[in-house]
Amino acid sequence: MVFQWIGIATTTYLVIKLVYYLAQGAYLYFFRTYPDFNKYGKWSVITGATDGIGKETAFQLASRGQNIALISRNTERLKNVAKEIESKHNVQTKCLTIDFSDDEEIYDKIADFLQGLDIGTLVNNVGTDQELVRFLEQSNLSLTIRNLVRVDALSILKMTQIVLPGMVKRKRGLILNLSGMPIPFPIRKLASTTPIKSFVDLFSRALSYEYESEGITIQSCRPGAVATKTAQPYGDLEKMISTKDYCTSWLATVDKARWTHGHWQHAVEAWVWHKIPTALIQKLADYFYIEPGAKAMQDLEKNK
């Protein structure tokens, strides 16, 4: 009789847990509602804004009435994106050419560039690529380490340091940090990038608790593969979620959760990976991701 009640209680718990996760997923990814981004402020600042998710985010925020401050390293692309945004959405834009792998003095330039703007939204999107090789086999390890720290980690800390004080003063603001899908287990040939992704995710979620009482919304976004140039080695881009579909889904999760995968397909993918034993993960990652990706990178390099 005791075992029967234990079985009933366990089954009930698992059913409730499943229903909760399904309801939460439906709320985040299928019942799409968008916040009024203008309630945070008049300007959105986006790093890595000339391609991929950053560029699409800029267009979608502009379509919702936001003025856009674009920060990226390619001047010509910045000008082209800004011109296209202004012509399509009749909003203001500002551009600043910055290479986030440079020394910390760049943040003085960024602070001056943003001075006086009513910044409501900060999108920390800039990031680097990494070769799919073992740690010591990277072609320029010292440069890779420097860029990972400066571009993927330091940029988020410093951009937050610049923008957050004004948000706190105004008692409103939104910070969206894109990290990529953090992997809670070790994977060969991803020794450098996975810890950085986890750092960005944990920093974002901790910060959201620290500043929610100040009226600031902070969200960690953890996407999987999206059809961008950086994802080209990892599979057929046509089979991946487009940047438009991804950003349309992701921006609907703002104000609903401290962290999100941005799209239901990535949420399912992450759930599956979390259920697989670490030893099996290594083999699956090698077969489906690391080896094909490394070969594709080599082929791309040969065809340059």
Side-chain angles (χ1 to χ4, degrees):
M1 191 67 174
V2 173
F3 291 109
Q4 182 180 358
W5 281 109
I6 291 174
I8 291 172
T10 302
T11 303
T12 302
Y13 168 76
L14 292 174
V15 169
I16 292 173
K17 189 175 181 180
L18 176 62
V19 170
Y20 170 77
Y21 282 131
L22 291 174
Q24 185 183 49
Y27 172 64
L28 275 178
Y29 302 120
F30 295 102
F31 295 97
R32 293 181 180 175
T33 57
Y34 298 88
D36 176 11
F37 288 95
N38 293 304
K39 75 179 181 181
Y40 301 113
K42 297 178 181 178
W43 284 84
S44 289
V45 179
I46 303 171
T47 66
T50 57
D51 203 359
I53 292 175
K55 179 180 177 181
E56 181 60 33
T57 302
F59 276 90
Q60 294 208 16
L61 290 174
S63 73
R64 298 179 183 278
Q66 285 284 284
N67 299 318
I68 306 295
L70 305 157
I71 305 176
S72 199
R73 65 181 178 179
N74 188 302
T75 302
E76 186 177 353
R77 287 183 184 175
L78 278 170
K79 290 179 179 178
N80 290 338
V81 171
K83 187 183 296 184
E84 191 176 353
I85 288 173
E86 289 180 358
S87 64
K88 282 188 175 181
H89 301 297
N90 193 30
V91 297
Q92 299 177 59
T93 63
K94 289 187 68 173
C95 298
L96 179 64
T97 303
I98 287 290
D99 187 338
F100 282 95
S101 66
D102 288 342
D103 293 335
E104 273 192 64
E105 286 76 11
I106 62 172
Y107 295 101
D108 294 331
K109 296 179 182 178
I110 294 173
D112 290 341
F113 170 70
L114 299 177
Q115 185 69 34
L117 297 182
D118 177 16
I119 298 170
T121 300
L122 168 63
V123 182
N124 282 312
N125 170 69
V126 69
T128 58
D129 299 325
Q130 184 198 356
E131 299 171 85
L132 293 176
V133 295
R134 292 190 300 171
F135 181 68
L136 294 178
E137 295 171 355
Q138 295 175 78
S139 56
N140 192 331
L141 182 56
S142 294
L143 181 63
T144 297
I145 292 171
R146 190 194 74 172
N147 288 347
L148 270 172
V149 172
R150 289 184 177 182
V151 181
D152 293 52
L154 182 63
S155 68
I156 288 178
L157 297 173
K158 295 297 290 185
M159 290 300 299
T160 302
Q161 181 186 19
I162 291 169
V163 172
L164 185 57
M167 292 180 170
V168 171
K169 185 177 180 180
R170 293 185 292 270
K171 298 292 183 182
R172 52 181 167 80
L174 171 66
I175 298 176
L176 304 174
N177 293 331
L178 287 103
S179 64
M181 191 180 294
I183 303 172
F185 32 72
I187 297 244
R188 282 188 288 267
K189 301 181 182 179
L190 290 176
S192 301
T193 54
T194 50
I196 297 288
K197 295 179 189 299
S198 295
F199 160 76
V200 173
D201 176 53
L202 290 173
F203 169 72
S204 304
R205 288 192 279 160
L207 207 66
S208 73
Y209 284 105
E210 291 181 4
Y211 286 94
E212 64 181 348
S213 64
E214 305 282 353
I216 315 300
T217 299
I218 300 169
Q219 186 192 70
S220 170
C221 181
R222 299 149 48 164
V226 178
T228 64
K229 286 192 298 185
T230 56
Q232 191 172 351
Y234 307 120
D236 186 350
L237 295 184
E238 293 184 359
K239 295 180 180 178
M240 295 181 190
I241 300 165
S242 70
T243 54
K244 183 175 182 179
D245 287 345
Y246 182 79
C247 291
T248 300
S249 173
W250 164 43
L251 292 177
T253 71
V254 171
D255 255 353
K256 296 179 181 177
R258 297 182 196 276
W259 65 269
T260 177
H261 290 295
H263 195 281
W264 71 267
Q265 291 184 33
H266 292 169
V268 171
E269 178 186 341
W271 183 86
V272 171
W273 281 105
H274 278 69
K275 301 302 177 185
I276 301 174
T278 301
L280 182 57
I281 282 283
Q282 297 290 343
K283 296 179 180 179
L284 292 175
D286 278 346
Y287 184 79
F288 289 107
Y289 180 72
I290 302 298
E291 297 306 329
K295 184 178 184 304
M297 283 184 173
Q298 292 174 357
D299 292 340
L300 288 172
E301 194 65 30
K302 291 178 183 178
N303 293 330
K304 281 186 178 179

